[in-house]
Amino acid sequence: MPATATQSATGRRKTAVARVWVKEGSGQVTINGLSFEDYLPTIDLQNSVIAPFQVVNMVNKFDVNVIVKGGGKHAQAIAIRHAISRSLTQFDPENRKLIKPEGFLTRDPRMKERKKPGQPGARARFQFSKR
């Protein structure tokens, strides 16, 4: 890959879908037009987005542009982490050996269970009345 190439990847978690474009730069992360500090309210969520860069020791070496839709802030942060991890493995296949054991390349398959007809929720049942 050329040094100035842009890598794109998609990450998912629950109903959140993140599309990420990663290119070499100064470490700027933009999510839906905002800086990631403004978009993600807590330090934990911000750290989860940066985690793939910390694992491969490339903090502040890439600019990231993200468009994320659906889900809540936590699911969006994990979807962004998933997409960034995928794009870093495209930049250098050797990064996969570092990122894979952390679990960042695994798409979390857990989804909300559907509501069943005639019942108040997915698992909930109406209260039984003997009389």
Side-chain angles (χ1 to χ4, degrees):
M1 291 285 147
T4 58
T6 300
Q7 296 295 331
S8 64
T10 303
R12 293 185 177 90
R13 169 74 170 100
K14 290 189 174 179
T15 58
V17 179
R19 291 180 298 163
V20 170
W21 292 268
V22 178
K23 65 179 180 179
E24 291 192 21
S26 61
Q28 224 177 3
V29 180
T30 307
I31 303 174
N32 291 352
L34 299 171
S35 70
F36 86 113
E37 291 93 351
D38 294 335
Y39 191 82
L40 298 172
T42 65
I43 299 293
D44 289 337
L45 295 180
Q46 294 169 14
N47 287 339
S48 68
V49 168
I50 298 175
F53 295 116
Q54 293 171 335
V55 169
V56 295
N57 294 324
M58 292 187 179
V59 179
N60 295 333
K61 292 191 179 173
F62 291 98
D63 287 340
V64 183
N65 189 16
V66 181
I67 294 176
V68 64
K69 295 180 181 177
K73 294 288 186 184
H74 187 268
Q76 287 181 350
I78 302 304
I80 293 167
R81 182 182 74 185
H82 185 219
I84 289 173
S85 300
R86 284 176 150 186
S87 63
L88 285 176
T89 58
Q90 289 175 1
F91 265 107
D92 185 6
E94 293 296 315
N95 288 341
R96 184 176 178 86
K97 295 174 185 170
L98 300 170
I99 295 173
K100 181 77 171 156
E102 298 292 324
F104 296 162
L105 292 173
T106 305
R107 197 262 198 232
D108 193 341
R110 296 176 294 173
M111 298 287 279
K112 185 175 179 181
E113 189 174 336
R114 76 177 191 90
K115 181 192 170 300
K116 312 303 187 297
Q119 299 296 342
R123 298 282 175 102
R125 302 292 177 249
F126 289 118
Q127 188 170 359
F128 175 74
S129 173
K130 198 170 201 178
R131 288 173 192 86

